[in-house]
Amino acid sequence: MGRYLRWQAVIALLGIVLLAALLRYTAFNFTTVTVPDRGGTYVEGVAGNPQYINPLLSRYNQVDGVLCALLFNGLTRLDEQGNVVSDLAESFSVSADGLTYDFRLRSGLYWHDDVPVTAADVLYTVSTMQADDFPGDSSFSTLWRAVEVAAPDGPDGLAIQFKLKQPLASFLDYTTVGLLPAHLWEKIPVADMMSSQLNTRPVGTGPFQLSQITASAAELAVNSRYYGAAPYLTRLIIRFYPDHQSLLPAYDRGEIDGVSWIWPVEISEAGQRSDLQLFSAPLSGYTLIYLNQQNPNLPFFKELAVRQALQYALDRQMLVDDILNGQGIVAHTPILPGTWAYDAAVKQYGYDPQLAQQLLDEAGWIDTDGDGVRDRDGVPLAFVLLGNDQEMIESIAAAWEKIGVKAAAQTVTLPGLTSDFLAPRSFDAALVHWELSGDPDPYPLWHSTQSKAGQNYAGWENREADEAIEKARSLTDPALRRGYYLEFQRIFAEEMPALLLYYPVYTYGVRNKVQAVQMGPLNTAADRFRTIADWYIVTKRVTVGNDPPKLDTDGQ
């Protein structure tokens, strides 16, 4: 009996030794690491409410733009450098004469309702923008009406061909517009597009699809048939708030994990939150002040001396530093820095209030009645300055007051600024933020043909500038185009048709439970979601093997 017990003890001891050796071997050769896993809900707060979740109608509402970026795709998209790259199109090519563009859709694409994507969807989307009663951006219609579109393999095929009547270097930018599903939209007259329920029940091709929408939020789920990388997040909620000032308090209450746009005045306050990651990046575009040269009641805006004086009177670096907390770069040209067409040597207007007053004096604008406002021939140098940034327009008005110019600062909403004042040209002066991306073609904003019904809200008409723009957009060689754009920038700086202020910097806040968030240069604010497929909240541990020991150079 005693001998039997001794053998049991020996066997148990050997087992322990072997187990220890095995564990040691496993620990040496295998380790566990934490990796992203599927799951988790990301909740972001935005300022405003959706109106038209429709890529053809979303241009002037940032909430619409964000939702469309997540739900829809175009034939192409813009990368971080503003270059056009493939999206729903598998490939595309341009003929040597710059008139024919051939695209081929990826195979196996589906709409959110499981209907295949075909050339018919491209044909429908383009024909809608070409329609005389298209209710969207008129610049879309103007361009697309000059383009012939065909499906060489038939509407059920994947081939698309566009033919232009004359070369247009920036045409590829227009192919980034999101496509609409023909099988749903073709039942609705184009004139009735804005009243369709499909604008709040969108069906797209993007990485997410709409699950439900209410007055307070939109809930999105992962699109399992998306052609690209599947996001780790399984649900995305966009909550709507009345204004940007409501977002940080909502974050503190735990209602949201992301603050869509942290305004410059909130940067310091936001930085005090230890669990809030801040990401900043240049945002393609610029902020400027339009002076309505077409307003018959304000003829002085047509005077170069007045426009130049107003620019010299502004300490733009101070505006950036004090009001924007450094979240901007002083602008000197409407061609964006970092693009191949930008002229770093263009004429610059520094802060010089003495020169501003001298220019006005020489032009005959003096204060004849001692009321502090310059006048000439009984006309006071006074007008209304509109904008949606109260502190900024009030600071600008105060600067002009110091040189004898009276600007009454009036705050308006961004949608109201566009629809009620800019589009009908019923304004004096207006502070406007432009998001621009892709090709640097300034035609939509500065060509004379756009001064009455387009987006040339300053009403600037200059034949030399027009010619430079026209010649540049008819060429495909960037080197040749650059020469004309340098000429355009020179003329713009000399004429000062509008007052350039700054190129914006965008700051985004995300709770630190959300990992792998990255943000590079942005074409639009919606590009903050460019890398959302990599974001994750949920993790798991997996076992990985270590490399076996290697022999040294002596084979030992």
Side-chain angles (χ1 to χ4, degrees), residues 271-467:
Q272 297 174 6
R273 292 161 172 77
S274 60
D275 60 348
L276 182 62
Q277 309 169 83
L278 299 184
F279 302 90
S280 294
L283 179 62
S284 292
Y286 52 80
T287 298
L288 78 168
I289 298 173
Y290 280 119
L291 306 174
N292 189 354
Q293 297 182 40
Q294 302 294 330
N295 189 331
N297 298 319
L298 304 172
F300 46 74
F301 281 152
K302 286 184 173 291
E303 297 182 34
L304 177 60
V306 172
R307 299 195 301 271
Q308 291 180 326
L310 293 175
Q311 184 79 329
Y312 278 123
L314 298 179
D315 186 347
R316 292 177 289 166
Q317 190 60 57
M318 181 275 292
L319 295 176
V320 167
D321 293 341
D322 293 356
I323 298 179
L324 302 182
N325 281 323
Q327 301 296 291
I329 303 168
V330 173
H332 301 290
T333 165
I335 301 292
L336 303 182
T339 65
W340 50 266
Y342 175 71
D343 183 7
V346 73
K347 177 181 178 179
Q348 299 185 3
Y349 289 75
Y351 176 49
D352 194 338
Q354 288 74 31
L355 179 56
Q357 295 187 68
Q358 178 184 332
L359 287 169
L360 293 176
D361 288 341
E362 292 174 352
W365 291 98
I366 57 176
D367 183 5
T368 60
D369 54 10
D371 65 352
V373 180
R374 293 174 180 268
D375 57 85
R376 189 181 68 191
D377 300 329
V379 177
L381 197 49
F383 52 88
V384 175
L385 173 62
L386 303 174
N388 69 326
D389 187 335
Q390 182 176 355
E391 185 178 7
M392 181 65 74
I393 61 175
E394 288 180 349
S395 296
I396 292 170
W400 285 339
E401 184 178 11
K402 294 178 181 177
I403 64 167
V405 176
K406 183 178 181 180
Q410 180 179 330
T411 306
V412 295
T413 64
L414 184 58
L417 178 62
T418 302
S419 61
D420 299 337
F421 299 99
L422 295 177
R425 272 59 174 177
S426 59
F427 71 99
D428 299 348
L431 178 75
V432 177
H433 311 274
W434 276 111
E435 286 187 4
L436 303 173
S437 57
D439 193 274
D441 181 15
Y443 183 96
L445 301 184
W446 299 112
H447 194 272
S448 295
T449 58
Q450 306 303 299
S451 65
K452 298 296 190 295
Q455 295 170 322
N456 180 356
Y457 298 126
W460 183 44
E461 298 180 351
N462 183 286
R463 189 59 228 160
E464 287 184 86
D466 287 349
E467 290 176 357

Side-chain angles (χ1 to χ4, degrees), residues 174-212:
Y174 292 88
T175 64
T176 63
V177 65
L179 299 183
L180 293 177
H183 66 282
L184 297 177
W185 278 98
E186 64 187 358
K187 305 170 187 176
I188 299 167
V190 174
D192 297 335
M193 173 172 274
M194 297 184 79
S195 60
S196 171
Q197 291 185 345
L198 287 174
N199 291 318
T200 54
R201 299 174 185 172
V203 173
T205 54
F208 290 88
Q209 60 189 63
L210 188 68
S211 297
Q212 64 176 349

Side-chain angles (χ1 to χ4, degrees), residues 50-55 64 67-68 71-72 198-200 202 210 213:
Q51 292 180 308
Y52 308 104
I53 311 176
N54 178 331
D64 290 340
L67 291 171
C68 285
L71 300 170
F72 292 91
L198 287 174
N199 291 318
T200 54
L210 188 68
I213 187 168

